[in-house]
Amino acid sequence: MTPRELIDTAAVPGGEDLRLFRRGDDYMIVLDRNELMNSRMSGSEEALATMACERLDSPAPRLLIGGYGMGFTLRAALGVLPADARVTVAELVPEIIAWARGPMAALTAGGLDDPRVHLAMGDVARAIEIARSDYDAILLDVDNGPDGLTRAGNDGLYSARGLASAKLALRPGGILAVWSAAPDTAFARRLRNAGFDTDEVAVRARSNGKGARHVIWFARKP
C-alpha cells in the first residue's frame, strides 16, 4: 500500500492539531487517531446538504454551513440550490480554507468562489448566537457527532442552550441538520425537548451507497 504523506498541520483553537494527509489521489484530515474526513467517502456529507434542501419551502433559501471540511456539503448544496440562494460557510480554522484552495483545489471545484457563497471565518456557534430568524437551514458537520470532538467548546452547539440558539436563528419551518458518525439517543431526545420536529435518517458513507452507516438529524422549527 502506498504510504500516506503528511501535507500540513493546523491548530484548532481550544483543541488538538488537525493533520492533512495524502495517499495517492486521496486526502485525509486526522485529529489525533481519529480520521475526521476522507475524500473517498463523501456520500453522507453530500446527503446532509441535498436532504436538507429537499425539506425547504423557500424559493430563495438562506443557509448556514458549519464547517467547511472538504467542501462536499457545500458543493452538494450549490448543486441543488437556485441562483438566488445564499450560503454562509462558517469555518474556524484558516488552514482548512488554505487546503481547499491549495492541495485540495480539485475537490473544491470553485465552490468557495460561487457568487451565492459568503465565507465567514470564525466559530459557527457565534454565527448562530447572533442570528434571529436569518436562516432557512443550518447544517452542522463540525465534529464526528453531537459532542465536541475537535474542540471542547463545540459541546455547546449540541446542548439545550445551543439548540435554543439554533431555533432562534432559524425562520419558521427552518431545518437544523446535524451529521453524526453514529446514533445518539440523548441528543435526539434533546432535539425533541427543544421543540423541534425531528427526523433521524441513516445514510451510507460513500456516494455509491456503500460504506458505514452514518446518521443525520433533520430538526424542523415549527
Side-chain angles (χ1 to χ4, degrees):
M1 178 181 292
T2 303
R4 66 182 189 180
E5 171 192 4
L6 177 63
I7 302 299
D8 198 9
T9 61
V12 178
E16 299 184 38
D17 287 354
L18 296 176
R19 291 172 292 161
L20 175 65
F21 289 95
R22 178 172 56 205
R23 178 183 286 130
D25 294 329
D26 299 326
Y27 292 89
M28 295 130 271
I29 296 178
V30 176
L31 175 77
D32 192 17
R33 297 180 181 179
N34 296 295
E35 185 175 279
L36 299 180
M37 286 160 271
N38 189 306
S39 61
R40 292 183 292 106
M41 291 183 280
S42 61
S44 58
E45 287 87 351
E46 293 164 351
L48 176 65
T50 56
M51 296 177 75
C53 290
E54 288 170 357
R55 289 163 164 78
L56 300 181
D57 297 326
S58 173
R62 300 295 185 265
L63 275 67
L64 172 63
I65 297 177
Y68 178 79
M70 289 186 172
F72 296 125
T73 299
L74 175 61
R75 285 178 56 182
L78 294 175
V80 297
L81 287 171
D84 51 357
R86 295 292 180 266
V87 183
T88 297
V89 178
E91 175 54 57
L92 183 65
V93 182
E95 287 85 353
I96 291 287
I97 302 303
W99 297 344
R101 296 191 183 279
M104 292 193 291
L107 296 180
T108 303
L112 288 169
D113 301 315
D114 190 292
R116 294 170 290 179
V117 174
H118 168 66
L119 177 62
M121 295 306 303
D123 191 348
V124 67
R126 178 58 180 161
I128 293 172
E129 286 173 0
I130 64 176
R132 291 294 182 272
S133 299
D134 290 345
Y135 300 109
D136 295 288
I138 298 171
L139 280 54
L140 295 180
D141 182 10
V142 295
D143 293 289
N144 260 16
D147 62 80
L149 176 65
T150 56
R151 57 193 292 265
N154 284 353
D155 280 335
L157 285 169
Y158 317 109
S159 68
R161 180 177 178 179
L163 295 179
S165 292
K167 195 174 179 182
L168 288 173
L170 288 167
R171 296 171 177 173
I175 298 290
L176 171 64
V178 181
W179 182 97
S180 178
D184 188 318
T185 55
F187 179 66
R189 185 166 55 251
R190 286 200 299 277
L191 284 170
R192 293 191 295 270
N193 290 342
F196 287 102
D197 299 324
T198 305
D199 184 17
E200 182 176 318
V201 180
V203 293
R204 292 288 189 177
R206 297 178 183 266
S207 55
N208 62 2
K210 298 181 179 180
R213 287 185 181 272
H214 295 160
V215 173
I216 305 174
W217 291 277
F218 297 99
R220 184 181 297 276
K221 176 179 177 177

